[in-house]
Amino acid sequence: TVSVLNCSALAVERRGCDSDGGMYVKGLEIGGFKSFRHADLGDAEFSPMVNCLIGQNGSGKSNLFAALQFVLGHGQYRTISAEERKELLYEGPGNKVFSAFVELRLDNTEGRLTLDSDAKEMVIRRTLGSKKDEYRVNNLNASASEVHKMLEAAGFSPSNPYNIVQQGKIQAFATMSDAQRFDLLKEIAGTKVYEDRRNTSLGVLADTEKEMGTVKANIQNLDSRLSDLSQEREEYKQFQLYERQHKCLQYSVHRREAEAAQVELKKIEEYLDERDEASKDGAQRLHELQQKLRESEKKGAAAAVTMQQCKRQRELVLQERNGWVKRQARAEVQLHSLTSRSKDQQGLKKKMETVLVGLEKNIKKKEGDVQQLEVKVSAANAKAAGLATERRTLDARVSALITKRGRHNQFSTQKERDVYLKAEIGKAEKTLKGYETELGRLAAKVDDELPDQVAAVEAAMKEKRAALVTAKAQRESKKTEAAALVKNRDALAEKRRELYRQQGKLQQGLDLSGERYGMAESRLNKTMPRDVQQGLKSVREVLASEDIAGVYGPVINLFTVDAELYTACDVVAGNSLFHIVVDTNETASKILKSLNKRKLPGRPSFYPLNRINSKPKQLPTGEDCFPLFDRLKFENQFSSVLADLFGRVLVCTTLGAAGAHSKSQNCDCVLVNGDKVDARGGISGGFLDRKVCRLGVAAELNKIKAERAEQQAKMDDLMQAASEVDQEVVKVRGELTAVEGDGEGALRDRERIMYDLAAAEKDLRQLAEAKTQATKARENQTADITSLQTALVQMQEEIKAPMAQKLSDEEAQELSEKQKELDALTKNHSHEAAGAEALRAELQAARQTLSENLLKQQTQLKQKLEEIDVAVVSDGKDGQAAREVQLVKQRMEALGKEVSEMEKQIEAAANERAKASEEGEAVRRKMAAFQKDLGKDRVELDERRRSRVTLLNRIDEAEADLRKLGAVPAGAEEYQSTGARELAKLLEETRKKLKKFQYVNKKSYDQFSELSDAKDALEKSFEERMVEKKAVEKLIADLDAKKDEAVLRTFKQLKAQFATNFRDLCGHDGAAGEVILHRAKTGAAKKVEEFTGVGVKVNFG
């Protein structure tokens, strides 16, 4: 026990020190608990005897005592709240701790701590957690309840207040009554554990006795029920006899039905086998007819293509010939023109000179009219300008008077008015300076700038006229050299035209193949759902605009197969042929995100190679079947995708073989013509037109694509050759251009100079007009300055005068008169301005007629007369024209022959097409008749197949009925030779007999057996309860004995310890202390119930 000797000392005392040995503390380790950051009190600190801990107040003696209570779970430390847990943590110097522990080592030589009774030392460790504590015993996890039970069994009961004795407890022990000391002795001895277990055992004993009574009552009830069931069981025996006979008859009837159906089924199977062979021959014949039809259609299509190509080529040749006809006409016209040009030029010159004389007279007259109008316009402008100036001055005075009249409304004081007027005067002076600057600029332009420009233009015109003489001689020097280059150029041009004709033919073929490709692609699109078609289109659009790697295209483009298997592959794969194969599912996600982002239509499906791990199934190869996967040709990386589609499919020759293999191999089987039998036996498919077969159309697309690639290669070669010829032509043209440029440079310079002269004359006219406009602008600017100066003077006068509430009488009179004058002056000015504007318009029209009509005609006539003067009657162009006419005639003859040849080819192609059409029509008639016969056979075959299904269902029903009957009933063999009618009669009689037993208890046998078994089980259970009762009674007796033993042992230890401690405390041998057990009766007591209390007897000597 633990005893506090005084306020400064704590003693930890060993429990029992007599010859029987005892259990004591061997060590204590504390970490993070209260005032202990870490303390380890091991074997060196504790002894098996009495241990005293001495220290000053606050040194930790009480916290050590609390640590013992904490690890043993005594007092307030059995359950700890969250706030109390925080208070138990160490809060001294150093780092903050978040958990604490106390570890107690106890001597267990006696084995009183039973959790590990073999251990000589028990180490109990309790770790403080934030919500729940952790217990460990001898370094093994244990629950709190397990530790508490172990301590209670050893005498450390939490309800015992004297396991740990604090201050004041000794005095209370000495003064308590004998009965109280006896109760304390029992608590110290740990009798509560035995009493709890004894009470539990008594409860179990009571429950057992109650169950035994219930079981006994149930056995009696079962005996009564078994007596009633014995009669019902006899009735049931008779019922079973008729039931067995009924079952035998049912078995015989169902077996007869199944055997009869099997016979009919065998006949139908034989018929279907025969029809399978016939169907195989019919399919072969139909295949041959289809092959012939395809060949006829192919010939007809080839003839149609040839005919169309020839027609288009003929159209191109005719177009080219029309071009040559026009070229011939132009050449002949040019030759005739060059021949007659010399004669025409002389007559033309005389006519042009006569026209020029008349034109110059008109020009002179028009110039006089312009001068007269200019005088009138000048006078009208001056008069209008004077009126405008006068109107501005008068308007300024009227505005000033009106403004002055409203000053008293605008301003409250004269000072505000003066500030405003000063600001307006400043603005007016600034504007006046700008007007004066603009007036100076206009004066400089009229007096200096425009006259200088006129002089410069006249000097330039003089230089241009002198340059005309130099340009005349340069054209003659290059004529001979240009003629040779023209001849070489024409030869190269003809060679290039030939290459272009060949390109046209090839382009025609490309166009036709493009049309065929488009038609085939349209047919392929019709074989797929609209959303799939839109999905493929949208994916192509995304791939065209984004760089997404790992996309291999639709499945249909990734393998090839023989043409005879197109229909089979089409039926097996269906729309999965258009699923897009990609490398990973991430690639598919990128495409789908882009589709959603762009909001593109369609529903594409993908095959990510990283997610497809399919492998082809091992299927047999024989005379009547072969795996479809083995006939495919593809790259190895696509093996898993194609295995997923075709890896579990057999191609069979007949439906019979397909049905057999689909069941035996558990796979789908397909015929070449498209009939399909799935693994469950279902038949689908049928005839599929080659024109709408997906693989057939895809193969046609690939073929057309290859043809277009070959044609494009030839086109590229021709384009390369044409490009080389074009380079030679460009080179010759460059040389010719250089020669002609040198020869015609003078002519171009002459023409340019003449145009420059005409432009210079136009510039002179524009300068004159600009001078007139500038003069008018200067006059307007002068009038604006005068008006502004008047307004400025008036504002300066107003600022000197005081601000009046209204105008003076003189000013009001002046305002009225000035307004009337202003209205009259405005009306007069408008009239004069309109007259001046009309004169200006008339002058402008006269000038326009003179410059744009008469003078322009004069210039053009002079230019043409000069061209006639410098032209050479024969400059070599007539020879070129003659050669051109000869070349055109030769080409026209060649084109005529080519057209004739095209006509022959068109006629031959038309005949070939008609012949192929007739052959195809004959084959179609045969196919129609053959398919009609096949249709009739198919109707009969379908009827037999339906009968077969019906018989199979009948057999299945009969077999199902037989399975319901279970095993073959005994006695069924005696009805084997009985006829069907007799069986039906016996079955009906048996049913009537069974009706009499319709209310029989069919469960009487089972119930009798079940109740008998239940009775046996209850009797066995009663015996088991009896055994349990005896065991519980024995356990109660053992617990009482152990409790008595514990109390006596504890009393014996207490008695010896009390005597020794009392003598030691008194300090001499004469002192004696004794603890006495009081008995209820005289004699030796053996049970705890026989004791009444514990007394204390002392002698201090």
Side-chain angles (χ1 to χ4, degrees):
T1 60
V2 178
S3 176
V4 178
L5 300 180
N6 53 46
C7 63
S8 61
L10 173 67
V12 180
E13 184 178 348
R14 174 184 175 188
R15 277 184 57 101
C17 300
D18 57 359
S19 60
D20 291 337
M23 183 175 65
Y24 61 91
V25 175
K26 296 183 69 176
L28 182 67
E29 182 178 359
I30 307 173
F33 185 83
K34 287 199 171 185
S35 61
F36 294 100
R37 183 172 186 84
H38 186 268
D40 189 0
L41 305 178
D43 294 337
E45 283 77 12
F46 289 95
S47 75
M49 304 305 290
V50 176
N51 296 270
C52 290
L53 300 177
I54 302 174
Q56 297 178 354
N57 289 338
S59 61
K61 301 186 299 300
S62 298
N63 290 339
L64 181 66
F65 178 80
L68 285 171
Q69 287 181 302
F70 172 76
V71 71
L72 294 175
H74 278 255
Q76 62 179 340
Y77 299 107
R78 187 172 181 87
T79 57
I80 309 174
S81 66
E83 293 296 329
E84 291 173 342
R85 291 176 185 276
K86 295 180 181 178
E87 295 175 357
L88 294 179
L89 295 176
Y90 173 76
E91 297 180 351
N95 296 331
K96 183 178 180 180
V97 298
F98 297 95
S99 65
F101 73 89
V102 177
E103 183 176 283
L104 179 65
R105 288 187 289 118
L106 298 172
D107 178 76
N108 193 35
T109 305
E110 294 182 351
R112 294 179 64 182
L113 297 172
T114 58
L115 193 63
D116 190 358
S117 59
D118 295 335
K120 300 302 180 182
E121 180 179 277
M122 295 295 285
V123 180
I124 303 174
R125 182 186 182 103
R126 181 179 180 181
T127 302
L128 181 68
S130 59
K131 295 182 179 180
K132 185 178 180 181
D133 296 342
E134 177 185 353
Y135 284 89
R136 297 182 69 85
V137 178
N138 285 356
N139 206 27
L140 296 175
N141 288 328
S143 65
S145 61
E146 290 175 344
V147 174
H148 294 158
K149 288 180 180 179
M150 177 188 72
L151 293 173
E152 287 177 358
F156 284 97
S157 174
S159 61
N160 185 356
Y162 292 95
N163 279 335
I164 299 175
V165 181
Q166 303 177 8
Q167 291 179 348
K169 294 294 183 180
I170 300 297
Q171 184 178 358
F173 177 78
T175 58
M176 66 175 53
S177 64
D178 293 347
Q180 290 174 338
R181 289 194 194 95
F182 184 66
D183 292 337
L184 178 61
L185 177 64
K186 289 192 291 183
E187 290 180 2
I188 294 172
T191 58
K192 187 176 184 303
V193 176
Y194 298 110
E195 290 176 353
D196 291 343
R197 294 181 63 185
R198 187 177 188 278
N199 292 332
T200 302
S201 300
L202 289 174
V204 172
L205 181 61
D207 293 340
T208 302
E209 291 176 348
K210 184 177 180 181
E211 290 175 1
M212 289 174 64
T214 302
V215 170
K216 189 172 182 180
N218 290 337
I219 291 174
Q220 293 175 356
N221 292 333
L222 287 177
D223 288 338
S224 175
R225 180 61 180 151
L226 287 172
S227 176
D228 295 337
L229 286 175
S230 61
Q231 183 178 355
E232 295 178 0
R233 186 174 60 172
E234 293 299 326
E235 293 178 357
Y236 184 63
K237 287 181 181 179
Q238 187 67 26
F239 169 78
Q240 282 184 321
L241 178 63
Y242 293 122
E243 180 71 19
R244 188 179 301 108
Q245 183 180 3
H246 182 265
K247 189 175 182 181
C248 292
L249 291 169
Q250 281 185 320
Y251 176 82
S252 300
V253 170
H254 294 324
R255 188 186 62 184
R256 293 284 179 85
E257 290 178 353
E259 290 174 352
Q262 288 285 358
V263 172
E264 293 295 326
L265 181 62
K266 184 176 180 181
K267 294 178 180 179
I268 292 177
E269 292 286 355
E270 292 175 355
Y271 174 81
L272 290 177
D273 290 339
E274 293 175 359
R275 295 312 303 165
D276 280 343
E277 292 296 329
S279 176
K280 182 177 179 181
D281 297 338
Q284 180 65 28
R285 183 182 175 190
L286 181 61
H287 178 69
E288 292 174 355
L289 290 174
Q290 288 176 341
Q291 186 67 26
K292 290 181 180 180
L293 180 60
R294 284 195 291 271
E295 291 176 357
S296 300
E297 290 176 347
K298 187 176 181 181
K299 290 179 181 179
V305 170
T306 302
M307 185 170 64
Q308 192 172 5
Q309 288 177 344
C310 291
K311 286 182 178 180
R312 290 197 177 185
Q313 190 172 357
R314 181 184 64 182
E315 291 176 1
L316 292 175
V317 173
L318 291 174
Q319 290 176 1
E320 184 180 359
R321 189 172 67 174
N322 292 335
W324 281 100
V325 169
K326 294 179 182 179
R327 185 173 175 180
Q328 182 182 17
R330 286 196 300 270
E332 291 175 351
V333 169
Q334 184 180 11
L335 181 60
H336 178 73
S337 175
L338 290 173
T339 303
S340 60
R341 186 179 62 175
S342 179
K343 296 179 182 179
D344 295 340
Q345 282 180 341
Q346 296 300 325
L348 181 61
K349 181 178 180 182
K350 291 180 180 181
K351 292 180 182 179
M352 292 174 66
E353 288 175 347
T354 302
V355 174
L356 183 59
V357 171
L359 187 60
E360 287 175 348
K361 290 180 180 180
N362 291 335
I363 290 172
K364 188 174 182 180
K365 181 179 180 299
K366 184 59 70 174
E367 286 175 347
D369 295 340
V370 168
Q371 290 175 358
Q372 292 177 3
L373 287 172
E374 286 176 348
V375 173
K376 292 179 180 180
V377 168
S378 177
N381 286 338
K383 187 176 181 180
L387 291 173
T389 302
E390 185 178 354
R391 186 179 66 80
R392 287 192 184 94
T393 303
L394 187 59
D395 183 62
R397 178 57 182 167
V398 171
S399 298
L401 290 172
I402 293 173
T403 303
K404 184 177 180 181
R405 185 177 61 185
R407 293 297 187 205
H408 68 281
N409 294 327
Q410 186 177 2
F411 305 105
S412 59
T413 62
Q414 182 176 345
K415 184 178 180 181
E416 292 179 359
R417 183 204 68 177
D418 293 345
V419 171
Y420 172 76
L421 289 175
K422 287 178 181 180
E424 291 298 317
I425 290 171
K427 294 179 181 179
E429 290 175 348
K430 185 176 180 181
T431 303
L432 184 60
K433 288 181 181 180
Y435 284 174
E436 290 173 350
T437 302
E438 179 64 16
L439 181 62
R441 186 188 67 79
L442 292 172
K445 182 175 181 180
V446 172
D447 298 336
D448 299 328
E449 183 179 345
L450 290 176
D452 292 343
Q453 291 179 359
V454 170
V457 171
E458 289 176 348
M461 290 176 64
K462 185 177 180 180
E463 292 178 0
K464 297 294 182 183
R465 290 189 182 95
L468 286 174
V469 180
T470 308
K472 184 176 181 179
Q474 294 182 357
R475 183 174 173 80
E476 299 293 334
S477 62
K478 297 296 179 177
K479 288 182 180 179
T480 305
E481 184 178 357
L485 289 173
V486 167
K487 185 176 181 180
N488 188 16
R489 179 198 63 187
D490 292 341
L492 290 173
E494 180 60 26
K495 182 178 179 181
R496 182 177 60 182
R497 280 193 291 271
E498 180 61 28
L499 290 173
Y500 284 166
R501 283 193 293 273
Q502 296 179 14
Q503 287 182 14
K505 293 179 181 179
L506 274 177
Q507 186 61 47
Q508 182 182 9
L510 281 171
D511 294 341
L512 288 173
S513 60
E515 292 177 2
R516 290 166 54 209
Y517 188 87
M519 293 170 62
E521 189 174 31
S522 176
R523 293 204 312 273
L524 184 63
N525 289 336
K526 291 179 180 178
T527 64
M528 66 180 82
R530 181 173 178 80
D531 55 351
V532 176
Q533 175 186 346
Q534 291 178 338
L536 290 175
K537 183 178 179 181
S538 298
V539 171
R540 285 195 294 268
E541 182 177 342
V542 169
L543 296 178
S545 59
E546 298 182 19
D547 185 15
I548 300 179
V551 182
Y552 303 107
V555 176
I556 196 170
N557 295 335
L558 302 181
F559 73 98
T560 59
V561 70
D562 294 339
E564 62 180 6
L565 296 177
Y566 284 169
T567 303
C569 291
D570 200 326
V571 169
V572 170
N575 289 327
S576 297
L577 291 170
F578 303 111
H579 289 186
I580 301 171
V581 179
V582 295
D583 53 356
T584 62
N585 51 338
E586 286 80 6
T587 303
S589 298
K590 290 180 182 178
I591 297 175
L592 290 175
K593 287 180 181 178
S594 182
L595 290 176
N596 294 331
K597 183 177 180 181
R598 297 166 178 249
K599 297 182 179 179
L600 295 176
R603 184 178 59 83
S605 300
F606 297 89
Y607 265 127
L609 294 177
N610 66 326
R611 303 293 295 273
I612 305 297
N613 299 316
S614 300
K615 293 182 179 180
K617 184 179 181 180
Q618 296 296 327
L619 298 173
T621 301
E623 296 181 356
D624 59 349
C625 66
F626 58 85
L628 179 57
F629 183 80
D630 294 347
R631 300 298 178 93
L632 306 181
K633 299 175 184 178
F634 51 86
E635 296 183 12
N636 290 333
Q637 61 178 330
F638 307 128
S639 176
S640 59
V641 174
L642 296 174
D644 186 67
L645 287 175
F646 306 106
R648 295 175 57 85
V649 180
L650 270 176
V651 179
C652 300
T653 56
T654 63
L655 276 175
H661 287 300
S662 65
K663 290 183 179 179
S664 62
Q665 300 297 326
N666 190 25
C667 67
D668 293 342
C669 296
V670 65
L671 273 63
V672 175
N673 63 0
D675 286 339
K676 180 181 176 183
V677 181
D678 57 29
R680 294 173 295 181
I683 301 176
S684 60
F687 175 73
L688 188 65
D689 190 355
R690 176 70 175 276
K691 294 181 180 179
V692 296
C693 177
R694 298 177 180 90
L695 285 174
V697 179
E700 184 179 354
L701 279 173
N702 293 330
K703 182 179 179 181
I704 297 173
K705 190 182 294 184
E707 292 177 0
R708 287 177 60 79
E710 183 179 356
Q711 291 172 343
Q712 189 61 47
K714 293 180 181 179
M715 177 66 78
D716 293 340
D717 293 340
L718 287 176
M719 291 178 67
Q720 179 64 27
S723 177
E724 294 174 357
V725 173
D726 284 340
Q727 292 176 1
E728 295 180 8
V729 170
V730 169
K731 181 179 178 181
V732 173
R733 282 181 175 176
E735 296 174 357
L736 180 61
T737 301
V739 172
E740 290 179 346
D742 293 339
E744 295 180 0
L747 180 60
R748 290 195 300 271
D749 291 341
R750 173 176 162 277
E751 292 174 352
R752 178 175 51 79
I753 292 169
M754 294 179 70
Y755 282 119
D756 290 344
L757 286 172
E761 292 176 355
K762 185 176 181 180
D763 291 341
L764 284 176
R765 291 191 295 273
Q766 291 176 349
L767 288 172
E769 181 65 22
K771 184 176 180 180
T772 301
Q773 294 177 355
T775 302
K776 183 179 178 181
R778 182 170 64 177
E779 293 173 354
N780 292 334
Q781 195 69 30
T782 302
D784 291 338
I785 291 172
T786 302
S787 176
L788 188 59
Q789 287 174 345
T790 302
L792 185 61
V793 169
Q794 291 174 355
M795 286 189 291
Q796 290 173 349
E797 291 176 354
E798 183 182 356
I799 201 172
K800 295 176 181 179
M803 187 177 71
Q805 294 296 324
K806 61 180 181 177
L807 296 175
S808 64
D809 295 338
E810 292 80 4
E811 289 175 336
Q813 181 65 28
E814 182 185 0
L815 176 60
S816 178
E817 293 174 356
K818 293 294 184 183
Q819 285 178 336
K820 293 178 181 180
E821 291 178 9
L822 179 61
D823 293 339
L825 188 59
T826 300
K827 185 175 181 181
N828 190 16
H829 174 263
S830 298
H831 177 72
E832 293 297 333
E837 184 64 28
L839 288 173
R840 282 196 297 273
E842 186 177 356
L843 176 60
Q844 182 65 25
R847 285 176 176 174
Q848 184 76 14
T849 302
L850 181 62
S851 62
E852 298 298 329
N853 188 4
L854 299 177
L855 292 176
K856 191 173 183 180
Q857 291 181 16
Q858 183 187 31
T859 302
Q860 292 174 351
L861 285 173
K862 287 181 179 181
Q863 289 177 353
K864 290 181 179 179
L865 286 172
E866 286 195 22
E867 289 176 359
I868 292 173
D869 290 340
V870 301
V872 180
V873 176
S874 179
D875 55 358
K877 289 186 178 180
D878 52 352
Q880 295 178 9
R883 289 194 298 273
E884 177 72 11
V885 170
Q886 184 63 27
L887 177 64
V888 169
K889 289 181 178 179
Q890 293 176 357
R891 183 57 189 163
M892 290 288 290
E893 293 177 358
L895 290 175
K897 294 179 180 179
E898 192 170 350
V899 169
S900 178
E901 184 64 26
M902 290 296 144
E903 294 289 351
K904 293 179 181 179
Q905 292 181 4
I906 290 172
E907 185 179 358
N911 294 334
E912 181 66 22
R913 181 181 181 184
K915 182 179 178 181
S917 178
E918 292 177 358
E919 293 177 355
E921 189 62 31
V923 173
R924 287 190 186 93
R925 287 193 295 270
K926 292 181 181 179
M927 285 181 62
F930 184 70
Q931 287 177 349
K932 186 176 180 181
D933 295 338
L934 285 179
K936 295 179 180 178
D937 293 342
R938 185 177 292 275
V939 171
E940 177 66 20
L941 191 61
D942 291 341
E943 182 64 29
R944 294 297 181 93
R945 285 174 179 167
R946 286 192 293 271
S947 299
R948 177 178 177 272
V949 172
T950 303
L951 289 173
L952 287 173
N953 292 334
R954 285 169 56 187
I955 293 172
D956 292 340
E957 291 174 359
E959 291 178 350
D961 293 335
L962 290 173
R963 285 193 298 272
K964 289 179 182 179
L965 294 175
V968 179
E973 62 277 0
E974 65 182 83
Y975 298 104
Q976 290 182 356
S977 59
T978 306
R981 292 184 179 179
E982 184 65 21
L983 285 174
K985 182 178 179 182
L986 292 174
L987 184 61
E988 183 63 26
E989 293 176 354
T990 306
R991 285 175 180 169
K992 291 180 180 179
K993 293 178 181 179
L994 285 174
K995 285 183 179 179
K996 298 178 181 180
F997 296 93
Q998 57 181 344
Y999 299 111
V1000 70
N1001 186 2
K1002 298 180 180 179
K1003 297 181 180 180
S1004 57
Y1005 261 109
D1006 296 337
Q1007 290 174 350
F1008 188 86
S1009 177
E1010 290 174 359
L1011 292 178
S1012 298
D1013 294 341
K1015 180 182 177 182
D1016 295 341
L1018 288 174
E1019 291 175 348
K1020 183 178 180 182
S1021 175
F1022 185 82
E1023 295 174 357
E1024 292 174 353
R1025 296 294 187 280
M1026 183 62 70
V1027 173
E1028 290 178 2
K1029 178 181 178 183
K1030 293 179 180 179
V1032 171
E1033 290 173 347
K1034 185 177 183 302
L1035 176 62
I1036 291 172
D1038 293 341
L1039 289 173
D1040 290 340
K1042 288 183 179 180
K1043 181 179 71 173
D1044 295 341
E1045 180 184 357
V1047 171
L1048 293 175
R1049 182 177 67 248
T1050 303
F1051 174 76
K1052 184 179 181 180
Q1053 293 173 352
L1054 175 64
K1055 182 177 181 180
Q1057 189 70 25
F1058 182 80
T1060 303
N1061 290 342
F1062 185 79
R1063 184 174 57 251
D1064 293 342
L1065 289 173
C1066 291
H1068 58 87
D1069 294 336
E1074 182 180 7
V1075 180
I1076 304 170
L1077 268 177
H1078 297 297
R1079 297 175 176 83
K1081 300 178 181 179
T1082 58
K1086 298 181 180 180
K1087 295 183 179 182
V1088 175
E1089 288 78 6
E1090 298 176 0
F1091 295 103
T1092 60
V1094 176
V1096 179
K1097 182 179 180 181
V1098 296
N1099 183 7
F1100 292 97

